[in-house]
Amino acid sequence: MKKIIFTAIIILLTIILWAKKMPDFTLENAAGNDVSLYGTLNDSTVVIVDFWATWCGPCRQELPHLDSLHIKYPNVEVLAITTDSRRTMEKARKFIKDKGYSFTTLMDPGREVQKLLEVEAIPVTFIIAPDGNIHYRHTGYKAGDEIELENQLIELLKELNLFKSN
């Protein structure tokens, strides 16, 4: 009996340690309005959070793939957080506008959210479940990473019975 209880405690602790919750944050979008992560999450929405900057080549290669996921899956929101400095923030706004991306762009010029999430290199991409748990985290971007991201996204959507492909 003691062995069963001990095993159950170990399993429970493992589950708790692996289920990391994304802290809530609020940032200004490109239009100057406040957007919060937990205000975006709901029972039928999965959120992709991505950190990027205009000076980051891999980031700029990744953004079109994030936009296509946002368009392809109706219950997926993308919050693309630019870490450009206050000095280059207007450049980031212009970049997104010129590209015509449909996802939400958030501004983190002081890098407060980047520090909160211990993001040390960009791009970094998170998939957040409706309950706020981090389902997936990936640092960097090279051609083909978008396939793994979409596979992880589909896996979570299916697990939540939210999978709807266009």
Side-chain angles (χ1 to χ4, degrees):
M1 183 68 167
K2 287 182 183 179
K3 206 175 207 181
I4 293 171
I5 292 172
F6 179 75
T7 303
I9 290 171
I10 295 298
I11 291 170
L12 182 62
L13 287 173
T14 302
I15 290 169
I16 290 169
L17 290 174
W18 282 102
K20 186 167 181 182
K21 201 106 163 153
M22 177 71 101
D24 194 17
F25 58 81
T26 300
L27 291 170
E28 191 175 285
N29 67 12
N33 301 313
D34 285 346
V35 175
S36 74
L37 170 64
Y38 279 64
T40 305
L41 286 171
N42 62 55
D43 290 343
S44 61
T45 303
V46 170
V47 177
I48 296 173
V49 174
D50 185 74
F51 288 85
W52 68 281
T54 55
W55 51 264
C56 170
C59 299
R60 293 194 331 234
Q61 292 173 353
E62 178 188 46
L63 290 174
H65 301 293
L66 295 175
D67 196 50
S68 69
L69 292 175
H70 181 248
I71 293 166
K72 185 175 182 179
Y73 299 102
N75 46 4
V76 173
E77 288 295 328
V78 175
L79 301 178
I81 302 173
T82 179
T83 60
D84 279 271
S85 68
R86 292 188 198 289
R87 196 178 78 238
T88 59
M89 198 53 59
E90 203 49 50
K91 181 179 179 181
R93 282 185 175 94
K94 183 176 177 351
F95 176 82
I96 291 297
K97 184 179 179 188
D98 289 350
K99 296 292 183 182
Y101 293 134
S102 64
F103 52 70
T104 301
T105 302
L106 300 177
M107 311 298 167
D108 191 17
R111 298 186 178 156
E112 290 89 9
V113 175
Q114 183 180 353
K115 291 172 194 165
L116 173 70
L117 299 176
E118 300 174 357
V119 171
E120 296 177 12
I122 57 173
V124 172
T125 306
F126 297 87
I127 298 176
I128 312 301
D131 61 4
N133 283 325
I134 299 170
H135 174 76
Y136 176 77
R137 176 184 174 143
H138 181 76
T139 302
Y141 176 78
K142 64 183 182 321
D145 285 350
E146 69 277 5
I147 296 167
E148 174 63 18
L149 178 64
E150 186 168 12
N151 288 340
Q152 288 290 329
L153 183 62
I154 290 169
E155 175 186 298
L156 179 60
L157 291 171
K158 285 181 176 178
E159 184 180 305
L160 299 168
N161 294 315
L162 296 174
F163 184 71
K164 300 173 194 163
S165 181
N166 289 345

